[in-house]
């Protein structure tokens, strides 16, 4: 965020031929001779094939209930696909007969795989990856003014970038995905406001509504700043107490401050980055009433500016995958601390 101006089904089908059956014998001298040359048990088996075995067009016999129960614990369904950052996914289903691959549609941005067990089981967290990599192609759409309670403001912006061209939108989406994984491991249900699956946006008012609709226990909007070189460090933005038009943060200002303080402390601990030297008077905290994503929220929410993309030293951190993992860990630790009280 810049302060200029006010995130083939595989299947196993064997050879497709089904089980082979022994050739049916028609009786007579050949059968008698063969029965005389093999053990009694084998002769009995051959007689069963002649008299009682399934014919070519008869259905195969089903297993008795006891035999079927022995396979009840086998996994005959496709495992839940794991989705990687590039959206590739695959699964397999061991089947005795061929089946057509199932088509899979991409889940919406707000979807989340079921939460597991952990200290955050039953908690809902919404992560808001700031901006969108495609925003610059949609100037008309993102420049549209939307109501943020205190005034009207642009739907969204393109965000900033490093001098080498690594964009804020790329950064926020990567960190948000890492953060999602960490929170899911703690048992939380996690939703993203966008997951690189839409061409632009969403607008700031819609981003707020996504968290509200999810009845989120906590929301964090991930950003990086675009300030002057020499300005370094992170800061967490808290909602001011606002009650104007469609904005009313009076109920969430206190809990949001608690969330922000915990995120700031744990972010510092995990990354080793210092609080901002140009915003927040060294506290790493900043209170604002001009951000629609905060003004319109009805659930605890904060923004985090992870560093200054226009400063070479901060940019070296922001472009490091190892550092971005630490950043995600710091945010996760802060959110876990807040939700566990």
């Amino acid at each position: 965020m810049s302060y200029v101006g006010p995130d083939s089904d595989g299947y196993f089908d064997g050879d497709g031929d089904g089980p082979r059956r022994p050739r049916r014998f028609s009786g007579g001298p050949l059968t008698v001779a063969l029965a005389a040359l093999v053990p009694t048990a084998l002769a009995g088996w051959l007689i069963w094939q002649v008299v009682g075995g399934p014919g070519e067009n008869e259905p195969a016999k089903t297993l008795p209930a006891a035999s079927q129960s022995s396979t009840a614990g086998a996994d005959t369904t496709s495992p839940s696909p794991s989705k990687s950052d590039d959206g590739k996914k695959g699964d397999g289903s061991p089947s005795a007969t061929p089946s057509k691959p199932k088509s899979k549609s991409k889940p919406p941005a707000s979807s989340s795989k079921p939460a597991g067990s952990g200290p955050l089981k039953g908690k809902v967290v919404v992560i808001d990856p700031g901006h969108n990599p495609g925003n610059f192609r949609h100037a008309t759409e993102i420049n549209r003014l939307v109501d943020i309670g205190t005034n009207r403001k642009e739907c969204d912006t393109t965000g900033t970038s490093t001098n080498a061209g690594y964009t804020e939108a790329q950064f926020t989406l990567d960190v948000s995905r890492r953060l999602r994984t960490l929170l899911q491991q703690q048992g939380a249900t996690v939703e993203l406001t966008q997951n690189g699956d839409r061409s632009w946006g969403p607008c700031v008012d819609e981003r707020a509504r996504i968290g509200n609709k999810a009845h989120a226990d906590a929301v964090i909007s991930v950003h990086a700043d675009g300030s002057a070189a020499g300005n370094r460090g992170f800061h967490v933005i808290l909602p001011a107490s606002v009650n104007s038009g469609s904005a009313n943060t009076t109920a969430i200002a206190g809990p949001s401050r608690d969330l922000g303080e915990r995120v700031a402390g744990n972010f510092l601990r995990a990354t080793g980055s210092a609080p901002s030297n140009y915003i927040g008077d060294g506290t790493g905290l900043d209170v604002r009433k001009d951000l629609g994503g905060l003004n319109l929220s009805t659930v605890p929410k904060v923004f985090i500016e992870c560093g200054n993309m226009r400063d070479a030293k901060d940019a070296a951190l922001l472009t490091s995958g190892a550092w971005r993992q630490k950043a995600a860990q710091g945010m996760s630790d802060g959110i876990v601390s807040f939700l566990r009280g």
Side-chain angles (χ1 to χ4, degrees):
M1 175 185 292
S2 175
Y3 283 100
V4 177
D7 195 324
S8 67
D9 285 341
Y11 59 85
F12 175 74
D13 63 354
D15 58 12
D17 295 329
R20 294 183 179 274
R21 296 186 177 91
R23 183 183 299 275
R24 183 188 294 262
F25 289 92
S26 59
L30 178 59
T31 303
V32 174
L34 183 59
L37 293 174
V38 296
T40 303
L42 181 57
W45 180 79
L46 288 170
I47 292 170
W48 180 84
Q49 289 294 317
V50 174
V51 177
E56 291 288 336
N57 297 319
E58 294 177 43
K61 289 179 169 55
T62 59
L63 289 171
S67 298
Q68 290 180 347
S69 65
S70 67
T71 62
D75 182 7
T76 58
T77 60
S78 300
S80 299
S82 59
K83 184 170 181 180
S84 62
D85 283 354
D86 60 7
K88 295 178 182 177
K89 54 187 175 182
D91 57 16
S93 177
S95 174
T97 57
S99 60
K100 293 182 180 179
K102 298 177 182 177
S103 62
K104 282 185 168 57
S105 59
K106 192 171 184 178
S110 61
S111 68
S112 172
K113 65 182 181 180
S117 59
L120 298 189
K121 185 173 179 61
K123 300 294 186 180
V124 177
V125 179
V126 170
I127 304 171
D128 179 29
H131 312 289
N132 183 311
N135 275 358
F136 74 95
R137 299 188 186 94
H138 296 271
T140 301
E141 291 88 347
I142 68 171
N143 286 330
R144 176 173 62 87
L145 298 181
V146 298
D147 178 20
I148 67 166
T150 54
N151 62 297
R152 295 176 66 81
K153 200 169 182 179
E154 292 85 357
C155 156
D156 202 0
T157 67
T158 59
T160 187
S161 68
T162 66
N163 293 331
Y166 179 61
T167 68
E168 181 183 1
Q170 290 175 286
F171 170 82
T172 64
L173 194 53
D174 179 76
V175 172
S176 295
R177 287 168 172 166
R178 294 170 187 264
L179 175 57
R180 175 184 59 184
T181 297
L182 293 170
L183 290 171
Q184 286 174 336
Q185 290 172 350
Q186 294 290 321
T189 296
V190 184
E191 298 184 9
L192 269 62
T193 59
Q194 59 95 6
N195 192 18
D197 51 357
R198 51 187 295 165
S199 56
W200 61 276
C203 295
V204 293
D205 56 340
E206 182 182 352
R207 291 172 186 265
R209 286 195 297 271
I210 291 171
N212 298 343
K213 185 177 179 180
H215 301 289
D217 296 287
V219 184
I220 187 166
S221 190
V222 181
H223 290 266
D225 205 359
S227 187
N231 290 341
R232 296 196 60 195
F234 75 91
H235 64 278
V236 177
I237 305 173
L238 315 175
S241 183
V242 172
N243 188 359
S244 175
S246 56
N248 187 346
T249 63
T250 54
I252 67 155
S256 295
R257 171 170 282 276
D258 184 20
L259 170 62
E261 290 174 348
R262 291 173 188 262
V263 167
N266 282 279
F267 191 88
L268 186 156
R269 185 177 301 110
T271 64
S273 294
S276 171
N277 63 5
Y278 62 103
I279 288 178
D281 296 324
T283 65
L285 302 174
D286 185 33
V287 179
R288 292 177 63 175
K289 61 179 180 180
D290 63 324
L291 298 177
L294 294 180
N295 286 359
L296 301 177
S297 182
T298 59
V299 294
K301 182 174 181 177
V302 298
F303 279 43
I304 182 167
E305 299 283 359
C306 297
N308 177 18
M309 299 196 99
R310 292 295 184 173
D311 177 80
K313 292 181 179 179
D314 269 11
L317 300 176
L318 297 167
T319 54
S320 163
W323 187 90
R324 292 196 298 272
Q325 185 64 32
K326 293 178 182 179
Q329 186 66 62
M331 295 179 209
S332 176
D333 291 345
I335 293 169
V336 172
S337 173
F338 171 73
L339 294 180
R340 297 191 69 182

